[in-house]
Amino acid sequence: MLIVPASLTQAFDSQLSQRNIPDQQRRDFHKWLRFYLDYCAMYASDPKLTASFAGFDEKLKSKDQSEAQRKQARLSIGIYYRMIGVIKSTQADSGNPATKNAAPLAASVTPHQEISKQADLPAAKREMPQSTVTDQPLKLTGANWEWVYESLQAAIKVRHYSNKIWQAYRYWLQQFQNFTKSKDASLLDMCDVKGFLSHLAMNRQVAASSQNQAFNALLFLFKNVLQKEFGKVEGVVRAKRRPYIPVVLSRPEVDRIIGLLEPPYDLIAKLLYGCGLRLFECLKLRVQDLNFDLKVLTVHDGKGLKDRTLPMPSMLTAELAAQVEQVAVLHDQDLAAKTAGVFLPSALDVKFKNAAKEFAWQWLFPAKSLTLVPGSEDYRRWHLHETHVQRAIKLAVRKSRIAKRASAHTFRHSFASHLLQANVDIRTIQELLGHSDLKTTMIYTHTVPSVTIKDAKSPLDF
């Protein structure tokens, strides 16, 4: 690795100070400068030419650097160009294929402003805007946060988190942006975090779970997007955690609601109650997740991306087999229509080209209509949408005239409570529900009558 001269390092650090780059980020800016100079030395490129940056940025992309990291690299090299007096690509460079189509990089930058608007284009076609940034001070209000949302979404996708997490974190980012009045993201610190969390408890009066979710969203933002240290959160007004006892249906009430549901919603409700599934876990079941020989079903990528195996209810074996037959008929129709198959998780569609059309990968509860894949002309099939099931269950509860706030998740609560009432070991219930912490499962001890003997006696007197 190339050693940057001390004089250049000091001059660059002075530039970072003038531009109010936070101290905790300066180390990263020095790192990108060192990488860039090392790249230029390795590939015999002139570091003073803006055209040299195009190949460097392409190299970062090939090394799977995130968009947020590449943006920070652009900022760093932009400051370097401003400091040394950038040499722009001219007609004298027209004979060089590497610089023929390259435009000058910005002469100066401030943190988190995008230098390239065409980062996804090939290096030969990528253009660098000449006046993206100025020497104006960072904004305390009204800054552009578009790059923050893009980087947050990219960080969530690369970790294969669910779309629900993206939606939740985006919501709290919007609330945080409003609270800070769109202060430039590079100026955000722990004081803003503490003020926001206290604001949620005192002014918004949110529940403790909502405040915790906001805390997790900001923690993820600071560590994976802003690349800042997330210090101890002390002196924050905490939302009061109230004891929560889930709504539980009796067995006759469960049967009454299921009896009012039409197929396939009745089978879905039976699985929710019979296996203790979360709704999204049930809808994500595929044909290959059912093992009729061993009478078990496997949940893949449940909450926390965890897998678990559950016993298949004996009384549902015939109904599940009939559902698989209906899926087979629909699958044949899709193949005849030459559709692209079903949606697959992660990059399996790239690794296994024909997996989407294989019967084993078909949804157990497929959607009624096909979905057009964005950016293509292919149609694929998704599973039933959660809102359709929730709407059907809500209507059935209303028709049953059961005076309880029952929903799809109530069947899971009832599953756990009825097992506990049948004296099933709570550790076993924890495994069936997929809980990481036993304390989460312990809440169901408040939903059933206690059978524990309260009087203190000697075992000799039993």
Side-chain angles (χ1 to χ4, degrees):
M1 178 67 68
L2 182 70
I3 298 178
V4 181
S7 58
L8 178 57
T9 299
Q10 294 174 1
F12 186 67
D13 196 63
S14 177
Q15 292 292 324
L16 296 180
S17 178
Q18 292 178 18
R19 286 164 174 75
N20 297 320
I21 303 296
D23 292 340
Q24 59 269 30
Q25 294 187 29
R26 293 186 186 180
R27 182 177 179 181
D28 291 331
F29 276 69
H30 281 282
K31 176 191 69 174
W32 295 123
L33 175 60
R34 188 171 69 253
F35 286 177
Y36 173 67
L37 295 178
D38 187 68
Y39 167 84
C40 290
M42 183 179 300
Y43 293 96
S45 300
D46 189 343
K48 294 184 179 180
L49 287 176
T50 57
S52 300
F53 183 81
F56 175 66
D57 189 45
E58 191 70 24
K59 189 71 172 179
L60 294 180
K61 188 175 182 180
S62 67
K63 294 293 185 180
D64 294 329
Q65 297 289 340
S66 68
E67 181 61 25
Q69 291 173 315
R70 292 167 58 204
K71 283 182 179 179
Q72 191 182 61
R74 296 177 197 135
L75 296 174
S76 177
I77 308 308
I79 294 175
Y80 168 71
Y81 283 159
R82 174 68 173 176
M83 181 184 69
I84 65 173
V86 60
I87 301 176
K88 301 179 181 179
S89 301
T90 62
Q91 293 180 355
D93 301 317
S94 60
N96 186 348
T99 63
K100 185 176 182 179
N101 295 318
L105 190 66
S108 62
V109 294
T110 52
H112 306 306
Q113 288 184 292
E114 185 175 358
I115 291 176
S116 173
K117 294 297 183 181
Q118 304 177 42
D120 293 329
L121 293 177
K125 296 182 179 180
R126 186 177 301 147
E127 296 182 359
M128 299 293 179
Q130 300 185 31
S131 57
T132 308
V133 290
T134 66
D135 287 327
Q136 297 178 357
L138 301 178
K139 294 183 178 180
L140 293 176
T141 59
N144 185 2
W145 278 42
E146 182 178 353
W147 77 270
V148 183
Y149 288 92
E150 293 176 354
S151 301
L152 178 66
Q153 186 177 25
I156 288 175
K157 282 186 176 180
V158 78
R159 289 164 177 80
H160 302 292
Y161 291 167
S162 68
N163 189 53
K164 284 188 174 181
I165 293 182
W166 156 239
Q167 292 174 351
Y169 283 11
R170 179 180 58 184
Y171 169 79
W172 289 118
L173 181 59
Q174 292 170 343
Q175 301 302 310
F176 188 50
Q177 180 183 3
N178 292 336
F179 176 79
T180 59
K181 298 180 180 179
S182 298
K183 178 196 292 188
D184 195 290
S186 64
L187 298 178
L188 297 173
D189 54 27
M190 291 306 297
C191 292
D192 297 310
V193 173
K194 295 176 183 178
F196 176 63
L197 295 177
S198 297
H199 161 73
L200 292 179
M202 294 187 299
N203 302 328
R204 295 276 300 276
Q205 297 182 344
V206 301
S209 58
S210 297
Q211 190 185 41
N212 288 337
Q213 189 182 66
F215 170 85
N216 292 332
L218 296 183
L219 174 63
F220 187 89
L221 172 70
F222 270 65
K223 293 183 64 176
N224 301 297
V225 177
L226 302 181
Q227 298 178 355
K228 293 184 177 182
E229 291 293 330
F230 196 82
K232 293 184 178 180
V233 182
E234 298 176 345
V236 174
V237 178
R238 302 292 295 180
K240 185 177 181 181
R241 183 176 292 276
R242 297 177 177 85
Y244 169 71
I245 300 178
V247 176
V248 174
L249 299 169
S250 66
R251 179 57 188 274
E253 289 172 336
V254 170
D255 294 337
R256 192 190 316 173
I257 294 174
I258 293 177
L260 294 171
L261 291 170
E262 298 291 334
Y265 305 118
D266 57 343
L267 180 56
I268 293 175
K270 290 176 183 178
L271 284 173
L272 297 179
Y273 173 69
C275 300
L277 296 174
R278 300 177 179 91
L279 179 56
F280 83 92
E281 293 174 340
C282 182
L283 296 182
K284 286 176 61 178
L285 288 175
R286 299 180 188 265
V287 173
Q288 64 182 354
D289 297 333
L290 303 180
N291 190 326
F292 289 99
D293 294 330
L294 298 179
K295 291 189 177 181
V296 296
L297 59 87
T298 304
V299 175
H300 291 288
D301 295 337
K303 190 173 182 179
L305 298 178
K306 293 179 294 186
D307 297 354
R308 68 183 189 277
T309 301
L310 300 169
M312 182 187 299
S314 299
M315 65 177 301
L316 294 184
T317 303
E319 290 186 62
L320 288 172
Q323 179 65 21
V324 171
E325 289 298 323
Q326 293 183 20
V327 173
V329 173
L330 183 62
H331 179 231
D332 290 338
Q333 295 175 359
D334 287 347
L335 291 179
K338 296 183 179 180
T339 65
V342 296
F343 287 93
L344 294 179
S346 303
L348 281 178
D349 201 21
V350 178
K351 187 175 182 180
F352 304 107
K353 297 293 184 181
N354 297 319
K357 298 181 180 181
E358 294 178 1
F359 181 61
W361 283 100
Q362 303 306 301
W363 302 109
L364 181 61
F365 298 106
K368 297 180 181 179
S369 59
L370 295 168
T371 301
L372 178 63
V373 180
S376 71
E377 298 180 355
D378 294 334
Y379 281 88
R380 291 180 181 262
R381 192 170 294 279
W382 193 246
H383 58 65
L384 270 178
H385 200 275
E386 292 184 11
T387 55
H388 296 166
V389 183
Q390 292 165 341
R391 190 181 302 116
I393 292 178
K394 184 177 181 180
L395 180 60
V397 171
R398 187 183 305 158
K399 289 181 178 180
S400 69
R401 297 189 178 276
I402 295 175
K404 292 181 179 178
R405 294 180 295 105
S407 64
H409 207 64
T410 306
F411 290 104
R412 177 175 162 88
H413 292 323
S414 304
F415 164 84
S417 299
H418 294 173
L419 287 183
L420 194 61
Q421 196 170 15
N423 295 324
V424 176
D425 178 63
I426 195 166
R427 291 281 186 182
T428 302
I429 299 176
Q430 176 192 0
E431 293 179 4
L432 294 175
L433 292 174
H435 287 163
S436 300
D437 193 345
L438 184 61
K439 291 181 180 179
T440 309
T441 315
M442 288 292 291
I443 188 119
Y444 295 108
T445 60
H446 300 286
T447 65
V448 295
S450 175
V451 295
T452 305
I453 299 175
K454 303 291 184 179
D455 298 333
K457 290 185 178 181
S458 169
L460 290 174
D461 297 329
F462 289 169

